[in-house]
């Protein structure tokens, strides 16, 4: 069997959690391959809402095993809170969750470093979620990090102190002590709590599963435009959010990758700083934010809103090798008489349809094509044969532009508000 991948094509928050939950019955294993508690994946069903940060979005389906892969970074405090919330809802997490021994740990001092780094950047701050993501991945690539497997070592405390002391040295006279007084004991308590979750060699586990005919879905976090290599650097996260991240974040060989399902919103959002060519800093942007409830699932911040950006989406399809697309939140545009689609950028008077290297510094003007809106409530739609013609035209137009079929259409946040096309 091959591993299918489901990931975001924009700046995150495309609706990955919802679709992973919807398609999980087709899979035996759901595995997260990168990111950490900076992610917030929302699931809504049977009138209940759940936001997941580190745990894969297959956790509500009893028959699926959920794996936190080696490419993920873990904050024990957040993970414990997530597990407790799920247990309270009757989900026996310990039964269906496994964690890679190679997943790196976010220390309390990593979070302080994240905060100090953002404060030092001032106006140029990235808008990090302040979950310690950047400093933890820095320690991983700098070969200083602590991994989940280290928690089983008799000298774990010593290893912890060595790394925390190193961080304190970097922080100098930054006021870290009050934060550590509050979080350090909670961190160790949380690790103790997590000791009933099985630690595994996840690369071996997943490859054995593939060989024995099990179906695996890799769940991405963030989105392609936040990828450390291919996103709008430096306004990105610190991991590879693209399909290639599945290979390194789970130990899956490239020739084992099957379908790649790229998720995008029928418009576009971004949270945090950085370039966003189609951003609408006006009443229309505000209307999209209000109708789409575009507020961060992790930080509660307002998400910046704008029209769909085809040059960025084409780039994302190319980098990921998307074989299918899932279009989300079309219902948010129900009341718009016309919809704008950015087909090109104008840079220094020239039209381009690709992402320029210096997207952060260039003056980029989006060039739009106007598309007729459908002016109908889509939230009750369950079959595209009942869809308004203007909506079908929008789907066909995007498929033609992106050259990838849209196989899933989402018309509301609930599990049921999903149309799977043949
Ligand atoms: P993720 O990080 O990609 O999993 O996405 P988030 O959960 O951060 O953000 C997506 C938001 O949109 C959540 O509040 C979802 O409940 C909601 N959502 C998902 N799909 C749809 C949809 O088709 N229509 C509407 N109106 N909301 C949706
Ligand atoms: P999901 O998985 C949207 C953004 C932050 C910031 C930048 C770097 O829910 O789609 P970091 O904390 O990683 O150092 O922040 O990336 N960001 C996200 N934006 N969705 C996410 O995850 C994000 N995770 C990080 O806002 O701009
Ligand atoms: Mg999110």
């Amino acid at each position: 069997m091959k591993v299918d991948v489901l990931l975001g094509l924009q700046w995150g928050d495309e609706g990955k959690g919802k679709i992973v939950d919807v398609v999980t019955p087709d899979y035996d294993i759901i595995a997260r391959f990168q990111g950490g508690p900076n992610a917030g994946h929302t699931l809504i069903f049977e009138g209940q809402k759940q936001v997941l940060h580190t745990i894969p979005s297959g956790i509500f389906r009893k028959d699926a095993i959920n794996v936190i892969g080696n490419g993920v970074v873990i904050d024990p405090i957040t993970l414990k809170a997530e597990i407790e919330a799920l247990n309270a809802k009757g989900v026996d997490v310990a039964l269906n969750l496994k964690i890679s021994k190679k997943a790196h740990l976010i220390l309390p001092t990593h979070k302080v470093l994240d905060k100090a780094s953002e404060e030092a950047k001032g106006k140029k701050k990235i808008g990090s979620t302040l979950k310690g993501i950047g400093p933890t991945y820095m320690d991983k690539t700098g070969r200083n990090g602590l991994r989940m497997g280290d928690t089983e070592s008799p000298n774990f405390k010593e290893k912890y102190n060595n790394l925390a002391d190193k961080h304190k040295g970097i922080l100098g006279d930054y006021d870290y002590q009050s934060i550590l007084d509050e979080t350090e004991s909670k961190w160790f308590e949380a690790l103790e709590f997590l000791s009933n979750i099985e630690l595994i060699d996840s690369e071996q586990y997943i490859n054995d599963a593939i060989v024995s005919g099990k179906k695996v879905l890799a769940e991405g976090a963030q989105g392609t435009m936040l990828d450390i290599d291919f996103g709008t650097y430096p306004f990105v996260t610190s991991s590879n959010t693209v399909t290639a991240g599945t290979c390194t974040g789970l130990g899956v060989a490239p020739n084992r990758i099957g379908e790649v399902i790229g998720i995008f919103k029928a418009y576009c959002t971004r949270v945090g700083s950085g370039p966003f060519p189609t951003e609408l800093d006006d009443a229309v942007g505000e209307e999209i934010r209000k109708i789409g409830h575009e507020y961060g699932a992790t930080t509660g911040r307002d998400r910046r809103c704008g029209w769909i950006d085809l040059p960025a989406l084409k780039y994302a399809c190319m980098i990921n090798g998307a074989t299918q697309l899932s279009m989300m939140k079309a219902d948010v545009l129900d009341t718009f008489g016309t919809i704008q689609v950015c087909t090109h950028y104008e840079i220094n008077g020239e039209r381009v349809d690709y992402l320029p290297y210096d997207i952060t510094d260039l003056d980029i003007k989006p060039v739009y094509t106007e598309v007729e809106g459908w002016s109908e409530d889509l939230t009750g739609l369950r079959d595209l044969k009942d869809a308004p013609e203007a909506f079908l035209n929008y789907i066909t137009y995007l498929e033609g532009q992106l050259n990838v079929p849209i196989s899933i259409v989402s018309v509301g946040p609930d599990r049921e508000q999903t149309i799977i096309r043949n």
Side-chain angles (χ1 to χ4, degrees), residues 13-17 40-42 303 328-329 331 410-413:
D13 302 328
E14 297 89 350
K16 299 174 289 293
H41 295 180
T42 314
R303 291 177 182 152
M328 311 300 291
K329 304 191 87 160
D331 56 293
S410 176
V411 292

Side-chain angles (χ1 to χ4, degrees), residues 11-13 16 38-41 126-129 221-222 236-237 271 301:
W11 279 279
D13 302 328
K16 299 174 289 293
N38 49 349
H41 295 180
I126 288 160
S128 160
T129 59
Q222 289 80 56
V236 292
T237 190
V271 59
R301 291 177 290 179

Side-chain angles (χ1 to χ4, degrees), residues 67-70 98-103 147-149 152 198-209 249-251:
V67 174
I68 298 176
N70 58 279
K98 298 179 194 298
I99 302 177
S100 168
K101 288 179 191 167
K102 294 190 175 76
R147 301 184 290 176
M148 280 304 290
E152 294 177 329
E198 191 184 358
L199 293 184
I200 58 168
D201 294 308
S202 59
E203 64 280 28
Q204 197 63 49
Y205 180 84
I206 285 172
N207 281 284
D208 288 349
L250 291 176

Side-chain angles (χ1 to χ4, degrees), residues 125-142:
K125 72 175 183 182
I126 288 160
S128 160
T129 59
L130 302 179
K131 303 293 177 189
I133 304 296
T136 305
Y137 278 116
M138 278 165 73
D139 269 339
K140 174 179 177 174
T141 50

Side-chain angles (χ1 to χ4, degrees), residues 79-93:
L79 183 52
K80 173 175 177 267
E82 254 182 280
I83 294 174
E84 284 173 337
L86 289 169
N87 285 343
K89 287 188 173 166
V91 181
D92 189 352
V93 178

